[in-house]
Amino acid sequence: MPINKSMLFGSGRSNSGWFRVVPPVRVLLAATLIQGALIQGTMVGAAHAQDASSRADLAPDEVNNAAKQAADRFFDVLKRRPRRGIALDRVYGYHVQNRSLDSFLESLENDSSGNDAQRGTRMFILGLMQTQRGKAAAAENALSVAEELLPDEAMVCFERGRALLAIGETERAADAFERAIDRGPARNEALPIYTELGQLYARVGDREKSLRVWKRLEQQIPGDQRIQTQIAATLAREGQYDEALRRYTELAKTARKEDDQIAAAIGAAEMRRKLDQPDQAVADLEAILARLRPGSWLYRDVRNRIEDGFIRGGDYDGLAKYYQAKLDAAPDDLSLRTRLGGILMRAGRLQDAIGMLREAVERAPDDADVRLSLIEVLEKTGDREAAAKQYEALTQRDAGNPDYLLRWGELVASDPKVDPEQRAERAVAIWKRLADARNDDAVVLSQIADRYRSVKRDEDAIELYRRAIEIDPTSPQYREYLGEYLLQLDRKPEAIEVWKSIAAGDRRDRDALVRLAEVFTTFKLRDEAIAAWDDAASTDLDFGQRLRYASVLSDNESYERALETLEEAAELAETPEDREQLLTQRIKTYKDSGTLDQRIAQVAKDATSAGDFRELAMMHSAGGQMTDAATAIDR
């Protein structure tokens, strides 16, 4: 089909202004181009797009002036308190985007005006900027000067220590962290300094120095349970389990809230396990269990920790003995008996598990969970007949539960010891009981139809799908299921008629037509899909639906109609994300239609704005012309 040039080259760029992009996004765009993700994903982060949209009425010079004023304000904040954070990020980002970072850093380094504090602050900022840039050696040089000029600033020593770590100067880094502590950091800044130093000593194997660091932190901030908890957790990660145990044990006694006491007690039990004290760890966890409400998430967590202690070592027999001892002490505890049956099953002691669970069933014949556990073990042993009897007992006690009859029938249908035709008849008889009992439930009838399909009862399955449709005619899924099955049975005309009924009569509306179109698309019925989409297009399609319609048209090589549909979608695009999707699909359509080079030539000829060059870069990238794409980004 010929392509109308007005469709290709007059695609409405100027009628909404949606190609406008402020110059600072070019760095982000370049990164995305390099990754080759222009056609597959969103080009610009939502924050940048929203910012660009909110200032679309400003001229480029005004935008640049506003960005510079914002960066200057953040620089003033940074000079008052040089720290990592938003102010540093915004100043750094501004100079990166405007290619002025080198000159800015040079000005910081060469500015000798002001007193020592002012010069030291500038060198501190320079060091932070170099750290942000990934130049650890240059950062350390700047921070060493800042440390001399700012004798009371703890964080400059800390940042210098981190820079030294980055270049492998471990001993000098430790000294810098020590100097940071000696300078008396603020309470909120002390923790990261102590943590970095303590972990550094632990990494180099100097346990004694590491412990001294934690003790000094405890002395500087006494009684802070949050700090104590973090120290204990850090010591545990470092493998200093005995020290972590001491702190967790103390916290379990002194924490003000009971939840914190329990959390610390759990930590202590875990440390005992790490210290090869499994019996004491289990005893501690059992003491915690006694304080918890059975059935709560924390109760289950602690119980699972007890089990994990055995399971990690593969000691299922030990775990079984543990539960057997608890069962001996409380023989009427049905939950213990059921859990022991499950443990025996995991240990591979299937016959012992069956015996344990059969006894539990005898004690509590109405407990469904116990029977289901027994069924699971019986299935593992291959005794499907015995498992089926347990399902029969379940249905006698809860005849209204469809899951039991469905699963019972599946179990019978899969029994390899029985003739295929015979087991299919038995399964159908079970499912028919459910169909008769729930003959007004479309969901259950469709589930039974699925089971009939599995045993080749084709006409019975079709009949149940049709009954489900009659019961719930407004729900399209049952028509979809029936159509799919008819197509599978090579009854294509019947399948198409069933699917068409999704959007027939009083059900014919936009959403039903779109759903019908998607069904035909899914099953690769091209002509039917296009016809359904055409019908849907006569209704009030939303933006996403028009975009999908255009995609289907393009896939079917109806490129001119696809572009017309994208024109219609452009009128509905409201957000930057919508406009980005629209642009991406336009470019894909140009590429698929073989007209991408023509479009590139036209845009290159007329391009004057940042938005034009951005569009040009995206098209070059779609065509694999990455050098030209980079040039357009620079433009």
Side-chain angles (χ1 to χ4, degrees):
M1 179 177 295
I3 306 296
N4 187 316
K5 289 188 177 181
S6 67
M7 284 303 307
L8 295 177
F9 304 129
S11 56
R13 286 189 298 114
S14 61
N15 60 6
S16 62
W18 56 271
F19 283 124
R20 296 193 63 190
V21 178
V22 295
V25 302
R26 61 181 179 230
V27 175
L28 180 59
L29 285 171
T32 312
L33 278 165
I34 291 170
Q35 295 172 22
L38 289 168
I39 297 303
Q40 289 78 15
T42 299
M43 283 296 304
V44 185
H48 286 272
Q50 183 176 4
D51 184 55
S53 177
S54 66
R55 294 182 292 170
D57 57 337
L58 296 179
D61 289 343
E62 293 175 307
V63 172
N64 286 335
N65 289 336
K68 184 179 186 307
Q69 290 173 10
D72 289 343
R73 287 195 297 271
F74 280 111
F75 186 46
D76 289 338
V77 172
L78 203 55
K79 286 188 289 187
R80 290 195 293 272
R81 191 170 184 272
R83 295 292 187 273
R84 297 174 187 251
I86 294 175
L88 179 68
D89 292 342
R90 292 298 291 270
V91 175
Y92 182 83
Y94 168 78
H95 287 291
V96 167
Q97 290 177 346
N98 286 275
R99 302 183 180 182
S100 56
L101 183 60
D102 288 335
S103 60
F104 177 67
L105 296 183
E106 186 177 346
S107 70
L108 290 175
E109 185 173 10
N110 296 333
D111 188 352
S112 59
S113 63
N115 55 32
D116 286 353
Q118 292 169 329
R119 293 196 301 274
T121 297
R122 288 194 293 271
M123 296 304 291
F124 193 176
I125 295 171
L126 175 62
L128 292 173
M129 288 282 183
Q130 296 287 21
T131 299
Q132 194 95 329
R133 204 178 190 184
K135 295 181 177 290
E140 195 278 325
N141 288 335
L143 292 167
S144 66
V145 176
E147 183 178 350
E148 294 180 5
L149 296 172
L150 301 172
D152 298 324
E153 175 60 80
M155 292 305 289
V156 72
C157 300
F158 175 58
E159 293 293 349
R160 185 181 181 190
R162 295 174 74 172
L164 287 164
L165 270 183
I167 59 177
E169 295 280 355
T170 305
E171 291 185 10
R172 292 179 63 201
D175 291 340
F177 293 144
E178 293 280 9
R179 291 195 302 274
I181 292 173
D182 291 341
R183 290 187 176 191
R187 183 186 180 100
N188 65 316
E189 294 179 332
L191 182 58
I193 299 174
Y194 279 100
T195 300
E196 193 82 58
L197 181 58
Q199 291 176 342
L200 173 57
Y201 284 138
R203 284 197 299 272
V204 299
D206 197 331
R207 174 180 171 132
E208 184 177 344
K209 285 186 178 180
S210 178
L211 288 176
R212 281 208 302 267
V213 170
W214 301 124
K215 289 176 181 177
R216 287 167 64 187
L217 177 57
E218 290 172 323
Q219 292 168 1
Q220 179 168 339
I221 312 176
D224 190 318
Q225 293 178 358
R226 183 180 63 87
I227 299 295
Q228 292 289 339
T229 301
Q230 186 162 340
I231 291 173
T234 302
L235 289 168
R237 286 195 300 270
E238 293 174 354
Q240 300 187 47
Y241 303 129
D242 50 351
E243 287 296 327
L245 172 61
R246 182 176 68 80
R247 285 166 172 79
Y248 277 130
T249 302
E250 182 65 24
L251 282 167
K253 299 175 183 177
T254 61
R256 288 183 289 275
K257 297 181 180 179
E258 185 177 11
D259 288 350
D260 294 336
Q261 292 175 7
I262 291 173
I266 292 173
E270 290 296 327
M271 292 307 100
R272 290 194 184 280
R273 183 173 287 160
K274 298 285 189 183
L275 291 167
D276 200 22
Q277 301 173 17
D279 294 340
Q280 185 60 49
V282 170
D284 289 350
L285 290 171
E286 286 188 323
I288 296 169
L289 274 182
R291 301 168 60 182
L292 302 174
R293 178 177 59 81
S296 67
W297 73 268
L298 191 53
Y299 184 95
R300 292 192 298 271
D301 177 70
V302 174
R303 185 190 62 197
N304 291 339
R305 287 175 185 270
I306 293 173
E307 294 183 3
D308 287 345
F310 292 96
I311 294 171
R312 286 174 189 170
D315 189 8
Y316 286 97
D317 288 334
L319 182 57
K321 290 178 182 177
Y322 165 78
Y323 273 113
Q324 184 65 62
K326 294 181 73 66
L327 185 60
D328 292 342
D332 295 328
D333 191 327
L334 187 64
S335 64
L336 277 177
R337 189 173 296 278
T338 305
R339 198 154 191 84
L340 177 55
I343 296 301
L344 290 168
M345 180 180 67
R346 294 168 70 182
R349 296 164 56 181
L350 298 181
Q351 294 306 317
D352 291 341
I354 290 173
M356 181 64 62
L357 291 169
R358 283 192 185 280
E359 186 175 349
V361 167
E362 291 174 3
R363 288 172 177 264
D366 295 329
D367 192 308
D369 289 337
V370 175
R371 284 191 188 273
L372 290 171
S373 296
L374 177 57
I375 288 170
E376 183 181 0
V377 184
L378 290 170
E379 286 193 70
K380 283 186 177 294
T381 64
D383 194 349
R384 285 181 170 80
E385 184 176 354
K389 290 180 179 179
Q390 294 301 323
Y391 272 120
E392 185 175 11
L394 281 171
T395 58
Q396 290 173 354
R397 288 169 170 78
D398 187 3
N401 191 325
D403 290 339
Y404 296 156
L405 284 164
L406 288 171
R407 183 68 188 104
W408 180 13
E410 290 174 352
L411 192 66
V412 169
S414 63
D415 191 346
K417 298 177 182 177
V418 181
D419 175 74
E421 185 59 31
Q422 183 180 358
R423 68 192 188 215
E425 289 294 336
R426 290 174 57 191
V428 167
I430 294 169
W431 290 326
K432 190 175 185 305
R433 287 170 51 185
L434 178 59
D436 292 340
R438 304 289 286 271
N439 60 9
D440 60 347
D441 190 326
V443 173
V444 171
L445 291 178
S446 70
Q447 291 175 334
I448 299 171
D450 292 342
R451 270 66 176 186
Y452 280 173
R453 290 170 59 173
S454 69
V455 294
K456 308 300 182 185
R457 292 298 190 266
D458 300 340
E459 293 306 321
D460 292 334
I462 290 170
E463 180 186 351
L464 286 186
Y465 281 134
R466 293 194 185 280
R467 283 173 57 188
I469 292 170
E470 291 174 4
I471 293 168
D472 189 2
T474 61
S475 295
Q477 65 266 29
Y478 306 120
R479 300 174 196 271
E480 291 178 20
Y481 302 156
L482 176 56
E484 178 188 1
Y485 191 40
L486 289 168
L487 190 67
Q488 183 180 322
L489 295 173
D490 201 23
R491 294 160 64 172
K492 179 178 174 180
E494 292 180 68
I496 291 175
E497 285 305 310
V498 169
W499 280 328
K500 284 183 176 179
S501 69
I502 290 173
D506 58 2
R507 295 183 300 277
R508 187 180 179 83
D509 59 20
R510 181 191 69 178
D511 292 338
L513 287 167
V514 168
R515 184 159 186 162
L516 175 61
E518 292 290 7
V519 169
F520 284 138
T521 302
T522 299
F523 291 99
K524 296 179 171 53
L525 299 171
R526 169 180 169 174
D527 293 340
E528 290 79 4
I530 292 294
W533 271 116
D534 289 344
D535 289 341
S538 65
T539 66
D540 187 21
L541 292 182
D542 63 25
F543 172 78
Q545 291 166 341
R546 290 195 182 277
L547 219 60
R548 174 65 178 143
Y549 180 30
S551 177
V552 172
L553 289 168
S554 182
D555 291 342
N556 286 281
E557 300 182 2
S558 297
Y559 301 118
E560 184 172 357
R561 293 181 59 198
L563 289 167
E564 289 173 355
T565 303
L566 290 175
E567 285 295 313
E568 296 166 358
E571 300 299 324
L572 301 175
E574 296 179 351
T575 68
E577 290 77 13
D578 289 347
R579 293 188 282 272
E580 197 65 45
Q581 290 182 56
L582 188 60
L583 175 57
T584 299
Q585 191 153 324
R586 283 185 192 277
I587 294 174
K588 181 179 183 300
T589 306
Y590 297 144
K591 182 179 180 181
D592 292 345
S593 65
T595 59
L596 182 60
D597 289 340
Q598 293 174 260
R599 179 65 181 174
I600 288 173
Q602 184 67 41
V603 174
K605 177 182 177 182
D606 299 336
T608 57
S609 70
D612 294 338
F613 286 112
R614 174 174 181 266
E615 180 188 2
L616 182 60
M618 292 176 68
M619 288 191 292
H620 278 308
S621 178
Q625 303 156 7
M626 303 309 291
T627 302
D628 292 333
T631 300
I633 287 293
D634 288 337
R635 292 287 302 276

